[in-house]
Amino acid sequence: DKWIARYGWSTSAMVFSAKDDLLPYNTGAELRRTRRVLVFYETTNEIYIFPYCKDSTARFVGDRVREGWSVVVTTVLPTVATMAGGSQPSNVANRIAYNDWIRANWQAIGASGLADVGGDARLQDAKDVTMYPDGSHPSDAANAIMAEVTLPVVQALYVQP
């Protein structure tokens, strides 16, 4: 199986570019794969606009499902970074609201699974520099935990009929 990644982008950029980015995987032999899975991780880049990131997530998932992908969505990790006002009370509230929304609605928007990385107790302290060296971006250790939470969800999609 092939793994591709696009990170560090805003949700709107991912929604806008996804069709072109995934075009090589939407043709020929790639379409005949039994499972094509994308993991969609909403970031804090646009969490300050809660309704927008919620709508963008739903659009991204819906578009990919129509193209034949299975999509796993995730919850959002905490941040203390000042970029985009990450630790401002309104953004903390927006992150919590987004996480509550995605936990309640992942199936309704067409996602095939939910990886609750934002709910893992080991990732809750954004001031822990072993997990968030800059207060925002996950370290290798945090990414390993995220993979530990996400991998079983992805694997379960491969055993479904």
Side-chain angles (χ1 to χ4, degrees):
D1 290 322
K2 297 179 182 179
W3 294 87
I4 56 172
R6 176 74 80 192
Y7 52 90
W9 285 32
S10 65
T11 306
S12 57
M14 287 189 290
V15 168
F16 179 76
S17 67
K19 188 169 182 118
D20 290 335
D21 287 346
L22 296 171
L23 186 61
Y25 303 95
N26 284 336
T27 58
E30 293 297 329
L31 282 176
R32 293 187 290 277
R33 289 173 126 4
T34 56
R35 286 286 176 188
R36 297 181 315 139
V37 179
L38 290 173
V39 177
F40 180 83
Y41 177 72
E42 171 61 56
T43 66
T44 56
N45 290 351
E46 290 178 351
I47 205 72
Y48 61 94
I49 319 171
F50 169 63
Y52 179 76
C53 66
K54 180 178 77 168
D55 295 344
S56 293
T57 298
R59 179 177 171 196
F60 181 92
V61 171
D63 288 350
R64 303 301 68 82
V65 168
R66 282 187 288 283
E67 293 171 354
W69 293 89
S70 295
V71 181
V72 173
V73 292
T74 70
T75 50
V76 178
L77 299 173
T79 181
V80 296
T82 56
M83 56 188 264
S87 61
Q88 293 178 3
S90 63
N91 290 336
V92 172
N94 286 348
R95 179 182 57 82
I96 292 167
Y98 178 86
N99 286 349
D100 290 346
W101 173 80
I102 200 68
R103 285 179 186 121
N105 293 287
W106 64 272
Q107 291 174 308
I109 65 171
S112 300
L114 170 69
D116 194 357
V117 297
D120 191 286
R122 298 168 291 178
L123 298 173
Q124 295 308 302
D125 183 4
K127 293 179 184 174
D128 179 351
V129 295
T130 63
M131 294 295 155
Y132 305 95
D134 64 358
S136 178
H137 298 93
S139 66
D140 288 347
N143 279 317
I145 294 168
M146 293 168 65
E148 180 184 318
V149 171
T150 305
L151 187 59
V153 180
V154 172
Q155 288 174 324
L157 296 175
Y158 280 91
V159 297
Q160 289 180 0

